[in-house]
Amino acid sequence: MNRVQQLLGVDIPIVQAPMTFIARARLAAAVSEAGGMGIIETLTPEGRADLLRVKELTDKPVGANLLVGGWKHDHSIVDTLVESGVSYVATSAGDPGLFTARLKDAGITVFHVVGTLRAALKAEAAGVDGLVVEGVEGGGFKGATGASTMVLLPLVASRTSLPLIAAGGICDATSMAAALVLGAEGVQMGTRMLATHESGVHPAFTDAIVAAPETGTMLVSVPGNPTMRVIATERAHAWAADPPADKLMDRVQELYFDGDLDASLANTGQVAGRIDSVRPVADVVREMWEGCRAALDAGHARLG
């Protein structure tokens, strides 16, 4: 077993991304039951309730996300995580020094999500157990000037000995094999997990992911909102050109669960261009893991 498998207590080093409103009990349980690490989001009351409800669906390890910026003035989230019994927490979007020591003192493994080498070194100094290294091709909140996984992952791997989980551009055995070659010991996926039967999102959203070409996403950066990678809908282009007064994500649940693609922005990674079907989570995880070694062998054979 590699370090990610050991630290997370999983058979397969595949992690589900922490997507607000979507990273709930049903999806997380399906990933964990398949041998990977399911993640529950904690920004919403429903997500926090699912930290307990997920135990009714699986007895496998399930982790949680802690969005640092959302909890920096209320550290009670640590007590909630400890009481829920999660053994793995991915912190993100803020100073890793705020929560790492308290979480580790409680016996929780902590990885921090980073999008730059500077952030990776800061997280290492804060004492995290590992890093989720996320390239700019991933969906959701992103730095407008961020580097791709192909550039960022080997750079971080060359400057730290911490175990790394790669995120951004990962969807299958081939991309998982590439991440391992670049220095990762596991992978994290959001868009591929969205396009599964267990994600709970509306078919209109998953259909848009399947239909998207490799050029079908865009970075949207408007005042008062974080930069996001989203499906390049007409509404997304219109809002990028003429930002609305309201925050762009105020009606995102109408998009996610009612299928109204004009209600908000559809957070999605570039890897949507490689996803051609909505699959069961177990099939996605199994085929990635079983095919990863064959993908590495195929790459070796192409050396001649």
Side-chain angles (χ1 to χ4, degrees):
M1 298 182 75
N2 68 25
R3 292 180 296 173
V4 167
Q5 290 167 293
Q6 293 170 352
L7 285 167
L8 274 58
V10 296
D11 295 327
I12 300 174
I14 293 176
V15 181
Q16 165 228 317
M19 301 165 282
T20 303
F21 304 117
I22 298 169
R24 296 281 175 78
R26 183 187 178 205
L27 177 58
V31 175
S32 292
E33 281 291 304
M37 174 59 75
I39 299 292
I40 302 286
E41 58 95 2
T42 62
L43 199 58
T44 68
E46 296 83 1
R48 296 190 293 277
D50 271 13
L51 289 171
L52 299 176
R53 191 171 77 86
V54 73
K55 295 178 180 178
E56 302 171 4
L57 304 177
T58 183
D59 59 2
K60 301 290 182 63
V62 174
N65 172 242
L66 194 167
L67 192 72
V68 175
W71 290 100
K72 62 182 178 181
H73 300 302
D74 180 5
H75 289 199
S76 65
I77 185 60
V78 175
D79 297 326
T80 300
L81 292 167
V82 172
E83 291 166 5
S84 74
V86 298
S87 58
Y88 168 74
V89 168
T91 56
S92 61
D95 183 358
L98 287 178
F99 291 101
T100 296
R102 288 191 62 191
L103 291 168
K104 291 187 65 173
D105 286 347
I108 296 173
T109 296
V110 181
F111 277 50
H112 190 68
V113 181
V114 299
T116 65
L117 174 62
R118 180 181 179 183
L121 297 177
K122 182 177 180 179
E124 181 177 36
V128 299
D129 297 298
L131 302 169
V132 178
V133 181
E134 187 168 34
V136 74
E137 63 265 61
F141 301 147
K142 292 289 169 292
T145 59
S148 69
T149 302
M150 187 77 173
V151 172
L152 181 63
L153 179 57
L155 176 62
V156 172
S158 73
R159 296 288 299 275
T160 179
S161 61
L162 289 175
L164 308 180
I165 295 172
I170 314 294
C171 70
D172 61 2
T174 302
S175 46
M176 182 174 186
L180 298 180
V181 172
L182 293 173
E185 295 180 45
V187 297
Q188 177 176 289
M189 300 187 297
T191 305
R192 176 65 271 187
M193 293 300 188
L194 274 174
T196 61
H197 297 322
E198 295 89 349
S199 70
V201 301
H202 195 279
F205 186 13
T206 54
D207 287 349
I209 291 172
V210 171
E214 78 279 8
T215 56
T217 66
M218 60 188 289
L219 287 173
V220 177
S221 300
V222 301
N225 294 269
T227 299
M228 292 170 281
R229 181 173 297 283
V230 303
I231 293 179
T233 61
E234 290 184 9
R235 179 56 58 90
H237 282 290
W239 280 352
D242 185 17
D246 297 333
K247 288 187 177 297
L248 299 186
M249 303 306 287
D250 282 353
R251 296 174 57 201
V252 73
Q253 292 191 71
E254 295 176 39
L255 187 153
Y256 288 166
F257 306 116
D258 298 334
D260 183 356
L261 295 180
D262 286 331
S264 188
L265 298 174
N267 287 318
T268 309
Q270 284 183 329
V271 78
R274 298 195 58 232
I275 295 171
D276 59 9
S277 63
V278 178
R279 310 281 308 286
V281 163
D283 290 355
V284 170
V285 172
R286 184 187 69 253
E287 291 175 13
M288 283 186 69
W289 186 234
E290 292 178 353
C292 187
R293 189 177 298 278
L296 288 168
D297 290 342
H300 186 267
R302 283 192 290 274
L303 286 173

